[in-house]
Amino acid sequence: MLPSRPEAVAAGLMIPDRLVVTGGARLAGSVSVPGAKNAVLPMMAACLLTEETCRIRNVPLIEDVEIMAALLRRLGATVEFDRAERRLTITAADIRSVRPDPELVHEMRASFLVTGALLARFGQVECVHPGGCEIGIRPVNVDMNGFRAMGAEILVMDGAYVARAPKLQGSRIYLDYPSHTGTENLLMAACLAEGYTTIVHASREPEVLHLIRFLRSMGAEIRGEGTSVVEVKGRSNLWGASYRTMPDRLVAGTFAIAAAITGGEVELREVWPEHLEPIIYKLRDIGVEMDETNRSVVVHARNKLRATEVQSMPYPGFPTDKQAEMAALLTQAEGESVVVERVFEDRFRYAEGLRRMGADIDIGGARAVIRGPSRLRGIEVSSGNDLRSGAAMVVAGLAAEGETTILDARYVHRGYESLADDLIGLGASIRAEKFVAPRVQL
Ligand code: EPU
């Protein structure tokens, strides 16, 4: 029997592609933050480094996890996803392919993370250029140059990177940009390389540190986590491990900014406040009260908001993934704000939608100037084919008069398991419409 629509949605068989937000409600209450997308995806790839079974807990129920699971299965791994328990059990004992499915790789940037592990363990990998949210060129030269430095021979054939190295050799690798997934890919490769690898100018994003800790629990020997020089002593093999996924600082940031734009009071539970420092700092700067405890943050937006300057940068700078939502919030702040995007070249896709909603926003190169406060009105807007831009439109809709309809909202589902429901739980008025099948067979 076919499931009813609510059942299909609950089981992840259908995803809402349109969100209709009725603005004006003040958010209040408490919300718990799920495991982090950008932490669980590299851990899933790292399971390819061993033939033993790994278990990952606190897994978010999002589409990108399903895509990575499908990708691993098609390589030959056994992947059991207990969604009720939020637990993945992955065994990569019988890998039969070193060619990740191009269709799935086109769906998601993080899919490229399997290349380092496959190359290190099997001496070969063939992978097409990864796709993902449309936010810029997103090259993989950091990964490729690193593999080359470790002795791999790399060719580009029929649009695929073909890398071969019977045994990777530890090396000193300087990254000319501290690429987040690039660092993760090289770390995984280095774990099974011969000798020592030193990664200089490594990414220090919290999810990279989290991966290092997971790899260590698999037996890897890594030093320097949290600094930009990380040293890995290669080993001949790693073993299975069980690990809990860290909370999603980016989802937490969305709840904080959503609370702020509605003048609300919201408690974020199960967060690591230290990861939220750049966001907490900026929200305080514009007049939002932020109270931290060990594992929670209370956002209290009772004051008028003030304009500020925000520059997105690699961690511990302000996260690029919160830049769009922050811009939406700054449309409600008194004065002229400046938002500079220093990570991706195409992350102002939301600006046109905000402008049509009534925001006073001008873009010049990597710089947005926002004059506020503006009265926003609900209209039909696009997600910009970027999950963070889609989230920003939801945030703007919360402060707009009338209904804001976000089209292509399936992008939002890549990174938020229940953004609409969570916001409804805090008092927002949101309805989901036009349900579509997920991009991969679950
Ligand atoms: N870059 C290079 N060469 C490379 C790789 C990157 O020049 O080889 C440049 C890019 O062009 C870009 C900048 O470096 O301008 C940042 O790219 P990076 O590789 O650091 O980012 P990423 O690994 O592609 C991850 C997250 C993003 C997050 C960024 C920054 C995952 C799966 N993705 O992307 O998350 O915005 O780091 O922290 O971890 C999202 O979750 O919505 C998202 C886009």
Side-chain angles (χ1 to χ4, degrees), residues 45-348:
C47 295
L48 290 171
L49 289 165
T50 177
E51 57 182 27
E52 292 189 15
T53 298
C54 295
R55 288 185 184 78
I56 305 175
R57 293 171 281 123
N58 196 31
V59 177
L61 308 181
I62 54 173
E63 217 191 343
D64 279 11
V65 167
E66 304 288 353
I67 293 176
M68 188 61 115
L71 189 83
L72 297 180
R73 282 190 195 109
R74 286 181 203 180
L75 293 172
T78 308
V79 182
E80 288 161 28
F81 190 6
D82 183 336
R83 295 182 185 81
E85 291 293 323
R86 294 173 175 265
R87 189 179 55 224
L88 277 164
T89 306
I90 301 176
T91 311
D94 297 313
I95 296 301
R96 53 175 181 267
S97 167
V98 288
R99 300 177 63 193
D101 185 327
E103 214 184 318
L104 295 177
V105 177
H106 282 309
E107 290 291 342
M108 184 177 74
R109 167 86 172 170
S111 56
F112 207 70
L113 286 166
V114 301
T115 58
L118 288 173
L119 179 62
R121 184 160 158 220
F122 301 102
Q124 188 170 337
V125 64
E126 287 182 39
C127 191
V128 296
H129 193 85
C133 287
E134 295 173 19
I135 54 181
I137 306 167
R138 310 193 82 180
V140 292
N141 57 298
V142 163
D143 317 46
M144 289 301 137
N145 291 341
F147 294 156
R148 243 183 235 115
M150 296 168 93
E153 183 199 337
I154 297 175
L155 303 168
V156 181
M157 278 172 19
D158 300 330
Y161 300 94
V162 181
R164 290 196 189 94
K167 184 74 189 163
L168 288 176
Q169 301 299 317
S171 174
R172 184 175 173 90
I173 305 172
Y174 174 77
L175 311 191
D176 60 2
Y177 185 93
S179 166
H180 181 155
T181 49
T183 303
E184 292 171 338
N185 224 350
L186 297 177
L187 273 168
M188 288 188 258
C191 285
L192 293 184
E194 185 93 35
Y196 285 88
T197 298
T198 305
I199 304 176
V200 182
H201 200 197
S203 164
R204 291 179 289 156
E205 303 283 331
E207 295 79 10
V208 176
L209 268 65
H210 191 262
L211 174 67
I212 290 176
R213 291 180 187 144
F214 178 58
L215 290 169
R216 232 188 242 135
S217 71
M218 295 173 76
E221 295 181 48
I222 307 177
R223 288 197 320 204
E225 85 209 57
T227 76
S228 51
V229 181
V230 179
E231 194 176 58
V232 184
K233 183 181 175 195
R235 293 178 49 98
S236 56
N237 67 317
L238 297 183
W239 52 76
S242 173
Y243 213 74
R244 184 180 165 84
T245 313
M246 64 181 248
D248 197 315
R249 63 190 169 111
L250 305 173
V251 171
T254 301
F255 293 140
I257 294 171
I261 206 167
T262 67
E265 181 171 357
V266 170
E267 181 195 28
L268 315 175
R269 283 183 282 113
E270 288 150 62
V271 293
W272 293 357
E274 61 273 30
H275 292 163
L276 293 171
E277 194 169 357
I279 300 170
I280 291 174
Y281 177 87
K282 251 325 144 192
L283 289 179
R284 280 194 183 129
D285 183 39
I286 65 169
V288 182
E289 289 171 30
M290 307 287 289
D291 293 325
E292 302 164 48
T293 68
N294 200 15
R295 286 288 172 260
S296 73
V297 173
V298 178
V299 183
H300 199 165
R302 60 182 133 209
N303 307 316
K304 267 192 166 174
L305 301 178
R306 298 182 291 266
T308 190
E309 183 165 330
V310 183
Q311 301 196 33
S312 74
M313 285 183 217
Y315 190 86
F318 188 86
T320 169
D321 296 309
K322 294 297 98 183
Q323 181 264 105
E325 291 156 38
M326 198 64 195
L329 177 61
L330 290 172
T331 66
Q332 303 307 302
E334 181 85 38
E336 186 174 286
S337 295
V338 176
V339 176
V340 184
E341 171 60 45
R342 291 192 180 277
V343 179
F344 290 108
E345 63 272 20
D346 193 11
R347 259 206 157 162
F348 285 129

